[in-house]
Amino acid sequence: MAGSARNGTVRTSVAAATAAALLTPLLAGCLSDAESAGGSHPDATDLRLANAALRSPATCDELLDWYVRHGVKQVTAWGWNGIWPTELTYRDQVAPLPTAAAPAPHRAQASDTGTNVQEAGVDEPDIVKTDGRILVRVDGRELTTYDVTGDRPALLDRMRLPRRIDNAELLLSGDQVLVLGGAAARVTAKPQPMRLIPTVDTTALIVVDITDPGSMKIADTFTVDASLVTARQTDDVVRLVLSAQLPDLDFVSPGKGHGDRWALRQNRQIVRASSITDWLPTLTSSSGDGADKRPLLDCSQIAIPKAEAGLGTMVISGFHLDDPSSWTSTGVTTSSQTTYVSADRLYLATDGWEPFGPGPCCVLTDIRIVPKPQRTRLYAFALGDVDATYVASGMVTGTVADRWAMDEADGVLRLAVGPTIGMGNANAVATLAERGDRLVEIGRLDGLGRGEQIQSVRWFDDLAIVVTFRQIDPLFAVDLSDPAEPTLLSALKIPGFSDYLHPLGQHRLLGIGVAADRRGVTHGAQAALFDVDDLTDVHQLDVTGFGGRTEAQAGNDPRQFTWLPDQRTALTVLSHNWGRRASVAVIHVENGQLQTWTRDIDARYRVDQVRLIPLSDGRVVLSDADGVSFFDLTPGEG
């Protein structure tokens, strides 16, 4: 949370001395961080990491020294408490469409495997996948295949996975299915009284051969002792973003006869005594030939940025699904909170608020502490076949909420950033370009939705649609045809807000979100249709609500939204009464109006697991608690 500036007046020398004494520990921490960020940097030894703003350690000892120096500053009397990396997110972007005469949205649709993705060409994991003939579904430890070419889905095979995978999801390429997710956490540190023992999250990957979908076979299994941030697939290349956990060292904790200072000294010494193997993640592969455990990457494949962004290690791995031996990894010492992947770029973004992070935390004015402006650090990687190469880094003033707030087109990174100190409590759209090894801000549009929070963003070739909300929903259309000068084209203010936007072509935009009155009081889920033919005059054509105590799941997970372009029909899952009941909302768009009806489904308190998968023949497969069936699109109440 951002701190606030405190104003004060020096009335006596005693007051001044007292204030200085109170500020000294804080400022000392800031200055020590600033001083430790300096130092000489040897030349990079790995060409994939060679860059003036990023260096590869010459030896494993040098890398260990970096971890230890930063670990000693971060460890507490209770271990690593409170500084575990948070879950990361990202979004994808397809290569830009040909530039039109004027900014315009374009139609979005499902991937070839049936998942509603942000951009075409980059598939996302999901719990159900299809190639149009065979449908594969994972539910807990159970993997099933169905034939969906007949009058009803026919079960072909059922397999129990050899190990538990939390939040298991699928990627599908040809006859290969990749099941991936979090593996059961392990604990290796000795328990201590009154101390929370950190767990080490691992990632499990299982490659399943469905050449004969009636007789599935496991081809390979992998385990990485790092947490899975996200995964994406382009053609047959799978790309993983992983967060290596801080090592679960055998820390002590304060207790009877031993105070905080003693425990802190001991824990710092334990960090100093750690080895490089404590810090680097490993990859374990298992096949018919047995198991093989090896480091996920070498010390020379981990880069240290000059602009440090916290203690942690992010790893980018890629491999061909039909050839796991092609596995290649690159790492960077940062604890990024947000990750965005386009067709040829990957960006890591740090949290914008860093009051005690690297560098000076504040500016001293008389005896006032003025927190420095919140800035988000950004690291850019170029994506090759299966490898990732660092290219640039930079900063932007503002906070990046999630993957939807990031986009890349024609080599320009576009960001929707939330308000920070110095931004006047308003949002902004910023553009950055690669200038050598630096990401440099080249354009910015400030003042969007003052006092509002960004609810949704949708990016197009030369256009951004940004929705904010507090009481009234301002929908902003921003012209990005000149990245150096983002221009506000129009701002539409209406009650409620859309937390998911889906383009239906160059003329219409469908918003799924929350109904509200002009006081900002919400009244359940709604769908709204917008005319975006003239971006200087965006207006709402129609809106329909689904009643109180309803929530449209598309705002939480866009994979629970399906657009059927030939039928001009959208489907989204609705949660009723906080998940006690579920239905599918059918939204037909015709002549600038919305025709809607709902049909109840069986979710059994697992509304987030419902999927609607479109097939090329116009039919839709429903996957819910009852299993797999074809969904009836005809009007009528369910």
Side-chain angles (χ1 to χ4, degrees):
M1 175 180 291
S4 59
R6 294 183 178 181
N7 297 316
T9 303
V10 180
R11 297 189 181 277
T12 66
S13 59
V14 175
T18 302
L22 293 174
L23 298 181
T24 297
L26 173 61
L27 296 177
C30 299
L31 294 175
S32 63
D33 281 343
E35 293 167 355
S36 66
S40 61
H41 301 283
D43 293 336
T45 59
D46 190 321
L47 291 178
R48 289 184 298 128
L49 302 175
N51 196 287
L54 202 76
R55 65 184 178 90
S56 180
T59 64
C60 285
D61 288 341
E62 183 183 342
L63 179 61
L64 176 61
D65 178 68
W66 187 94
Y67 283 128
V68 168
R69 283 190 293 108
H70 289 75
V72 166
K73 290 189 294 184
Q74 294 281 14
V75 73
T76 73
W78 301 88
W80 299 125
N81 295 343
I83 61 171
W84 289 91
T86 58
E87 183 179 358
L88 317 179
T89 57
Y90 81 103
R91 62 174 292 279
D92 350 74
Q93 167 71 20
V94 72
L97 297 176
T99 303
H106 59 271
R107 187 173 69 186
Q109 59 190 51
S111 70
D112 292 339
T113 60
T115 301
N116 178 37
V117 296
Q118 187 94 28
E119 303 289 350
V122 184
D123 204 4
E124 305 178 12
D126 205 350
I127 56 177
V128 181
K129 291 288 181 180
T130 184
D131 62 2
R133 302 176 301 104
I134 304 301
L135 182 139
V136 187
R137 163 174 143 152
V138 63
D139 184 4
R141 289 187 64 177
E142 185 175 81
L143 186 70
T144 50
T145 52
Y146 295 84
D147 182 346
V148 291
T149 60
D151 294 336
R152 63 182 59 185
L155 177 65
L156 296 176
D157 194 17
R158 191 187 309 271
M159 170 191 288
R160 182 170 175 80
L161 297 173
R163 65 173 302 174
R164 173 186 170 187
I165 299 182
D166 296 329
N167 302 313
E169 294 183 335
L170 308 170
L171 288 169
L172 171 65
S173 176
D175 296 327
Q176 303 291 315
V177 174
L178 177 64
V179 186
L180 70 168
R186 61 182 175 87
V187 177
T188 60
K190 295 179 181 179
Q192 298 287 339
M194 299 296 292
R195 173 173 167 254
L196 296 176
I197 302 297
T199 59
V200 177
D201 294 329
T202 59
T203 298
L205 303 99
I206 302 175
V207 181
V208 180
D209 188 332
I210 60 167
T211 302
D212 179 0
S215 180
M216 294 183 284
K217 294 181 174 62
I218 294 178
D220 290 287
T221 63
F222 302 91
T223 303
V224 183
D225 60 347
S227 60
L228 178 65
V229 174
T230 194
R232 287 297 184 268
Q233 177 183 329
T234 305
D235 297 326
D236 72 329
V237 174
V238 174
R239 208 171 301 276
L240 309 174
V241 179
L242 301 153
S243 176
Q245 302 294 321
L246 302 182
D248 52 336
L249 303 174
D250 191 15
F251 291 124
V252 301
S253 57
K256 186 176 182 180
H258 301 292
D260 289 3
R261 291 184 179 181
W262 174 87
L264 178 59
R265 287 195 302 268
Q266 294 297 314
N267 287 341
R268 285 176 173 174
Q269 186 56 40
I270 289 170
V271 171
R272 293 187 182 100
S274 63
S275 67
I276 193 63
T277 57
D278 293 321
W279 294 89
L280 298 186
T282 60
L283 170 67
T284 302
S285 58
S286 302
S287 62
D289 299 328
D292 174 52
K293 185 174 182 179
R294 60 183 175 85
L296 180 60
L297 69 175
D298 297 329
C299 297
S300 63
Q301 295 170 314
I302 299 178
I304 302 173
K306 285 185 178 179
E308 298 167 356
L311 178 62
T313 305
M314 300 297 300
V315 180
I316 305 163
S317 296
F319 60 92
H320 292 279
L321 187 53
D322 60 354
D323 181 18
S325 64
S326 61
W327 194 301
T328 300
S329 297
T330 300
V332 59
T333 55
T334 183
S335 55
S336 171
Q337 282 76 45
T338 304
T339 308
Y340 158 72
V341 179
S342 72
D344 59 1
R345 282 290 188 274
L346 185 148
Y347 297 91
L348 300 178
T350 66
D351 190 345
W353 175 242
E354 45 181 9
F356 303 105
C361 70
C362 45
V363 176
L364 181 62
T365 302
D366 296 328
I367 65 164
R368 296 182 297 120
I369 298 177
V370 180
K372 65 181 181 180
Q374 297 165 249
R375 295 184 294 178
T376 297
R377 286 192 175 95
L378 302 156
Y379 303 95
F381 292 79
L383 302 179
D385 178 25
V386 294
D387 60 331
T389 304
Y390 173 83
V391 290
S393 64
M395 287 188 180
V396 65
T397 298
T399 57
V400 179
D402 55 28
R403 63 188 179 100
W404 300 96
M406 305 179 71
D407 180 79
E408 181 268 330
D410 290 331
V412 176
L413 175 63
R414 295 103 66 92
L415 304 171
V417 294
T420 69
I421 298 169
M423 289 178 59
N425 198 28
N427 306 282
V429 170
T431 57
L432 295 92
E434 295 173 12
R435 298 288 187 262
D437 63 354
R438 298 174 60 217
L439 277 173
V440 179
E441 184 175 306
I442 60 172
R444 190 177 182 97
L445 175 64
D446 285 301
L448 300 180
R450 195 171 304 277
E452 309 273 353
Q453 182 178 356
I454 293 177
Q455 297 294 332
S456 58
V457 185
R458 196 77 194 215
W459 304 94
F460 307 98
D461 294 344
D462 297 324
L463 175 69
I465 301 292
V466 181
V467 172
T468 63
F469 179 76
R470 185 176 64 182
Q471 289 179 305
I472 297 296
D473 171 9
L475 185 150
F476 301 98
V478 180
D479 183 356
L480 296 172
S481 55
D482 181 0
E485 193 174 350
T487 304
L488 180 63
L489 296 173
S490 63
L492 172 66
K493 295 187 177 183
I494 50 178
F497 64 89
S498 300
D499 52 13
Y500 176 73
L501 298 170
H502 198 87
L504 309 184
Q506 295 189 3
H507 309 290
R508 299 289 184 266
L509 185 71
L510 183 64
I512 305 296
V514 178
D517 58 28
R518 293 193 174 275
R519 297 172 299 168
V521 179
T522 58
H523 302 288
Q526 74 170 21
L529 182 65
F530 300 95
D531 186 326
V532 292
D533 188 42
D534 180 0
L535 291 172
T536 64
D537 183 29
V538 175
H539 55 278
Q540 188 180 86
L541 294 173
D542 198 8
V543 63
T544 184
F546 298 103
R549 295 185 180 180
T550 60
E551 180 182 14
Q553 291 294 110
N556 300 323
D557 188 345
R559 298 175 302 178
Q560 293 190 276
F561 176 93
T562 301
W563 171 244
L564 308 173
D566 294 338
Q567 294 99 315
R568 301 287 296 172
T569 298
L571 308 173
T572 188
V573 181
L574 295 178
S575 171
H576 300 255
N577 296 323
W578 302 282
R580 292 184 177 88
R581 185 170 67 87
S583 67
V584 173
V586 183
I587 307 166
H588 182 64
V589 182
E590 187 172 357
N591 298 324
Q593 293 185 322
L594 300 177
Q595 302 172 9
T596 63
W597 60 92
T598 62
R599 191 175 305 281
D600 286 348
I601 57 174
D602 187 0
R604 300 176 193 171
Y605 289 91
R606 298 174 62 194
V607 181
D608 61 328
Q609 300 293 300
V610 177
R611 295 292 187 272
L612 293 142
I613 307 298
L615 301 179
S616 58
D617 59 9
R619 294 183 299 171
V620 176
V621 177
L622 169 67
S623 174
D624 63 4
D626 273 343
V628 173
S629 61
F630 286 122
F631 181 75
D632 185 2
L633 290 169
T634 58
E637 289 289 337

